[in-house]
Amino acid sequence: MEAYEVIVIGGGPAGLAAALAAHKAGSRVLVIEREERLGGILKQCIHDGFGLVRFGEKLSGPEYAERFIDEVLELGIDVLTSSFVTELKKTGAGFLVSVVNRHGVTDYQAGALVLATGCRERTARQVLIHGTRPAGIFTAGTAQHFTNLLGQLPTRRCVILGSGDIGLIMARRLTLEGASVLGVYEAKPEPSGLTRNLVQCLEDFDIPLYLSHTVTRVFGEERLTAVEVAQVDERIKPVPGTEHIIECDGLILSVGLIPENEVAGQLGVPMDAAAKGPVCDNRFMTQVPGVFSCGNALHVNDLVDYVSESGEMAGRYAAAYAADGTDSGEHIAFKTDDSFLYLVPQQLRLEDRDKKGVLYFRSRNARRNAVFTMSINGKTAYTRKYGQLKPPEMERLEIDFGKYPIQKGDELRFEIKEVMG
């Protein structure tokens, strides 16, 4: 059985960054990727806008991924593609990873694991659209794959349900390829995508956005022929009498992303109900010692730059854990109120209370003149002002915990408050 200090599951931007960081920290690393090529979702994201934070320039998705892939190959890091993890087990020496590919089933030993499995899209059945099951209904990512990688236009006349970023980007992409995008329908009263994508992908192309509207039925036998849309009330329930039919041959779903954590479930990794990813500490280690999580498997990010950032930290700390093999086990749990949609990480290692830490969070509601507050035992210790916060826009915040007298047993509470003026 071949042994590695660190095994990274997932060869997208998070996994590649984790592998590079672990390798540079001195670990022998193996990357396991289920697809034929490395790069994850970036392979099909041919639009630019990637790398502004990390590289200070606009790159397409493939260009961004290529920089990491080239370095992984140059450093000789072991990579398995077209390979699937079928089983994970905790052992006395670390972890047993069973992998199946064209060569059969092979077991590998790892001192530490990095879960960089990305996220998946919600489907039509998960948003309870009634009707038949004709061809012509695609998730936004599938439509992107057809258009950008296969060179096939999946629809000529379509409706997009959901205003997530991939859906907005596909509204523009399909329009550029000659398709007619009849409208983007969003059940919530506010858009779900980034402001820049609303402007660049919808407004610049005169594509209408209908808020508080949803698709209630689909029609067609072999191929989609029409959809029924309706207004919804504050409980996201269709309003009777507002239904109307739109003839189309395509329905594109951009109704949310969910962190992919099926393999984490095999190890009993506890999950955060809000972020949908593992509960982790400031080193991105989950509550199963030796198992680290990063990127969109941990929580859905807006920018790939932050996906890579969390991957680097997870990889570096995984290498340190593999070398040492011990864990202090002492943490301070972060407390949050309902002003947050989520806050990641959820814990601070007691031994790291004198170091800087990175927090990622989303506000539950849109807020202007907001103040992010950290209190210790009820006393305000840190504040940060924001002109506005929006749920679709993730915020990154770096706090130097060493500036504050944090002790074992202290309560660290985070709140977002709206202030006047």
Side-chain angles (χ1 to χ4, degrees):
M1 183 188 305
E2 199 160 5
Y4 291 85
E5 277 82 29
V6 176
I7 290 181
V8 179
I9 302 175
L16 293 171
L20 287 167
H23 175 86
K24 292 174 182 177
S27 287
R28 185 174 185 231
V29 180
L30 172 65
V31 179
I32 302 171
E33 168 56 46
R34 65 184 177 185
E35 294 190 11
E36 186 179 359
R37 292 185 293 155
L38 297 172
I41 196 65
L42 293 180
K43 297 191 297 292
Q44 64 190 49
C45 299
I46 66 173
H47 53 281
D48 66 11
F50 300 92
L52 286 170
V53 174
R54 188 178 189 88
F55 298 115
E57 59 180 307
K58 287 184 178 181
L59 301 172
S60 68
E63 288 173 327
Y64 184 96
E66 185 179 25
R67 297 196 177 190
F68 290 86
I69 294 170
D70 287 348
E71 190 173 1
V72 165
L73 298 179
E74 287 171 5
L75 292 174
I77 296 173
D78 289 348
V79 173
L80 290 176
T81 55
S82 300
S83 300
F84 296 81
V85 173
T86 58
E87 189 175 18
L88 292 176
K89 285 184 179 178
K90 179 74 173 168
T91 67
F95 300 92
L96 180 68
V97 183
S98 297
V99 178
V100 62
N101 53 30
R102 70 188 67 179
H103 304 296
V105 179
T106 307
D107 291 336
Y108 298 92
Q109 187 72 37
L113 297 176
V114 178
L115 307 181
T117 46
C119 58
R120 55 186 169 84
E121 297 178 276
R122 287 188 173 92
T123 66
R125 294 296 159 183
Q126 290 174 298
V127 291
L128 303 177
I129 297 176
H130 299 290
T132 54
R133 301 186 68 174
I137 302 176
F138 307 92
T139 64
T142 300
Q144 189 179 59
H145 179 85
F146 271 100
T147 307
N148 294 346
L149 290 185
L150 302 183
Q152 300 290 329
L153 192 62
T155 176
R156 292 288 181 181
R157 182 179 171 87
C158 72
V159 165
I160 296 179
L161 175 61
S163 58
D165 288 309
I166 304 176
L168 300 178
I169 289 166
M170 283 311 297
R172 176 180 62 186
R173 184 78 180 102
L174 291 169
T175 300
L176 289 171
E177 289 297 326
S180 177
V181 179
L182 305 175
V184 175
Y185 291 81
E186 170 59 58
K188 296 177 183 177
E190 308 93 14
S192 297
L194 296 173
T195 301
R196 72 163 186 257
N197 286 330
L198 291 167
V199 173
Q200 295 173 3
C201 300
L202 298 189
E203 293 180 16
D204 288 356
F205 291 86
D206 295 322
I207 299 171
L209 170 64
Y210 300 93
L211 299 175
S212 298
H213 282 74
T214 192
V215 173
T216 50
R217 293 180 66 191
V218 298
F219 302 91
E221 294 301 327
E222 293 186 0
R223 178 78 193 196
L224 183 73
T225 58
V227 299
E228 179 187 80
V229 300
Q231 293 182 24
V232 297
D233 59 22
E234 63 276 3
R235 296 176 299 166
I236 318 295
K237 299 294 185 182
V239 178
T242 64
E243 305 90 346
H244 65 279
I245 305 298
I246 300 175
E247 294 183 356
C248 59
D249 68 352
L251 173 62
I252 310 297
L253 304 173
S254 181
V255 289
L257 301 170
I258 306 171
E260 181 62 78
N261 281 296
E262 287 187 12
V263 294
Q266 295 187 32
L267 293 170
V269 175
M271 296 289 154
D272 182 287
K276 309 299 183 186
V279 174
C280 69
D281 62 24
N282 58 293
R283 296 187 181 186
F284 296 92
M285 186 164 76
T286 71
Q287 292 185 305
V288 176
V291 179
F292 297 76
S293 179
C294 58
N296 287 337
L298 181 60
H299 66 109
V300 177
N301 291 252
D302 296 338
L303 301 179
V304 70
D305 309 74
Y306 298 145
V307 167
S308 299
E309 178 184 52
S310 67
E312 283 182 334
M313 288 189 280
R316 184 170 68 251
Y317 285 123
Y321 179 90
D324 184 67
T326 60
D327 177 52
S328 67
E330 294 189 306
H331 296 82
I332 298 176
F334 295 152
K335 305 291 186 180
T336 58
D337 62 10
D338 61 4
S339 61
F340 288 89
L341 195 58
Y342 67 75
L343 174 77
V344 174
Q346 297 88 349
Q347 297 177 332
L348 174 67
R349 295 172 70 92
L350 193 62
E351 63 192 283
D352 292 339
R353 65 185 185 273
D354 59 345
K355 299 177 182 178
K356 291 182 179 180
V358 176
L359 303 178
Y360 305 97
F361 72 92
R362 293 183 192 269
S363 172
R364 182 174 298 278
N365 301 306
R367 297 173 181 268
R368 291 186 177 276
N369 299 318
V371 177
F372 177 102
T373 301
M374 180 183 79
S375 62
I376 303 174
N377 300 325
K379 185 177 180 179
T380 299
Y382 171 89
T383 61
R384 165 75 182 271
K385 294 182 179 180
Y386 292 88
Q388 67 175 9
L389 293 172
K390 297 180 179 180
E393 298 181 5
M394 188 198 78
E395 300 292 337
R396 175 194 181 275
L397 181 62
E398 188 172 299
I399 297 180
D400 188 350
F401 291 106
K403 291 184 177 181
Y404 310 101
I406 300 172
Q407 302 297 323
K408 182 178 180 180
D410 285 349
E411 179 185 82
L412 267 65
R413 179 170 292 276
F414 298 88
E415 297 177 279
I416 301 172
K417 299 179 180 179
E418 204 162 358
V419 296
M420 300 299 293

